[in-house]
Amino acid sequence: MTDRLTIGVIDPEVLGTYGDTGNALVLSHRARARGIATDIVEIHLDEAIPADLDLYVMGGGEDTAQALAADHLRRCADFTAALRRGRTLLAICASLQILGRSYTDATGREVAGAEVLDISTTPQGHRSIGELVTAPLLPGLTQPLTGFENHGGATQLGPDARPLGRVLSGSGNAADHDGGAVDGACQGGVVATYMHGPVLARNAELADYLLARAVGCEVGDLAELDMPLVDQLHAERVRAAGVSA
Ligand code: GLN
């Protein structure tokens, strides 16, 4: 297990809707509480994204902003290759979309994605806005996941991507579901979701899943943290959505 963690925040100038960059602060706080030193490194649109950091976060963004980030990712082939080989990354909303094969924005323009996730996104014709609660499908997670969604895109998963959660309340990947409603996409070390929040402030289990993966241990090897406010926030958001945990 490493005792020092470098967390990359990718394109915070365009991908930070609803404070998504706070996910890096949560990871850093939970790591430091366990004696793991952290460095948070911002990587901007005009910079090459280093391929060897321990953990990355990417946030959500509006259509114009996310097109800039999509272009940036397509220029950083070493980084996207590292993701395909298993680097750990959390992606929110617009970032989920741009890591896929392609997405079509609200104006009908199809934008090539980074081809890290086996997903594609097309417009729903309306926006899904509101609280989203899911039952996690990622092994080891037991608590409902909660977040706030606001997106016009509907995302379809190909066979290589697995959903992050089964929707209990809200839309998730698509408002009109054939069969089960799901949110997010997981593939290798990439975990992507439509949940803003920041999602890790609301869902400590997910934060620890990413931390454990990045430091190279099992979640059970991380020391338990006593943070009652975090538990309170989680319980409150699940209750507010009218979902029984
Ligand atoms: N622009 C994208 C959409 O509306 C993503 C929005 C977001 O990141 N909240 O689907």
Side-chain angles (χ1 to χ4, degrees):
M1 194 194 304
T2 174
D3 59 358
R4 182 158 209 110
L5 201 64
T6 305
I7 304 168
V9 180
I10 299 173
D11 298 340
E13 65 272 53
V14 288
L15 298 175
T17 306
Y18 305 120
D20 288 332
T21 51
N23 287 321
L25 300 179
V26 175
L27 289 165
S28 170
H29 186 70
R30 295 185 74 82
R32 282 186 287 116
R34 276 122 170 180
I36 303 166
T38 59
D39 296 301
I40 297 180
V41 180
E42 291 193 351
I43 303 128
H44 297 283
L45 282 170
D46 57 349
E47 295 168 349
I49 306 173
D52 57 352
L53 306 189
D54 302 302
L55 180 54
Y56 300 85
V57 298
M58 297 178 70
E62 299 71 24
D63 283 5
T64 308
Q66 93 182 70
L68 296 172
D71 189 43
H72 187 202
L73 284 201
R74 288 195 307 272
R75 291 195 311 272
C76 295
D78 288 352
F79 168 64
T80 50
L83 291 180
R84 282 184 213 102
R85 285 195 303 270
R87 288 271 156 186
T88 309
L89 177 143
L90 172 71
I92 310 299
C93 199
S95 296
L96 170 151
Q97 296 177 358
I98 67 181
L99 285 166
R101 298 192 178 282
S102 70
Y103 70 91
T104 303
D105 70 16
T107 67
R109 184 168 74 110
E110 185 175 350
V111 180
E115 302 202 350
V116 169
L117 294 174
D118 184 16
I119 63 172
S120 57
T121 300
T122 49
Q124 311 186 78
H126 62 88
R127 298 195 74 77
S128 292
I129 304 173
E131 289 292 312
L132 172 60
V133 183
T134 67
L137 297 171
L138 208 52
L141 268 58
T142 58
Q143 302 281 316
L145 295 163
T146 88
F148 178 79
E149 62 182 330
N150 180 357
H151 54 103
T155 297
Q156 284 77 40
L157 272 55
D160 292 339
R162 294 276 170 272
L164 172 61
R166 181 172 54 80
V167 172
L168 301 173
S169 168
S171 292
N173 289 353
D176 303 316
H177 314 283
D178 281 340
V182 295
D183 169 66
C186 304
Q187 194 170 335
V190 177
V191 174
T193 172
Y194 272 107
M195 291 181 178
H196 298 279
V199 67
L200 298 186
R202 289 180 172 214
N203 302 283
E205 268 194 350
L206 183 58
D208 285 351
Y209 171 90
L210 294 164
L211 267 186
R213 203 175 188 288
V215 300
C217 71
E218 300 295 322
V219 172
D221 298 331
L222 295 173
E224 293 247 357
L225 297 182
D226 184 23
M227 295 185 179
L229 274 179
V230 174
D231 301 334
Q232 260 173 45
L233 175 65
H234 182 264
E236 179 192 295
R237 297 323 308 166
V238 173
R239 250 197 333 270
V243 169
S244 51

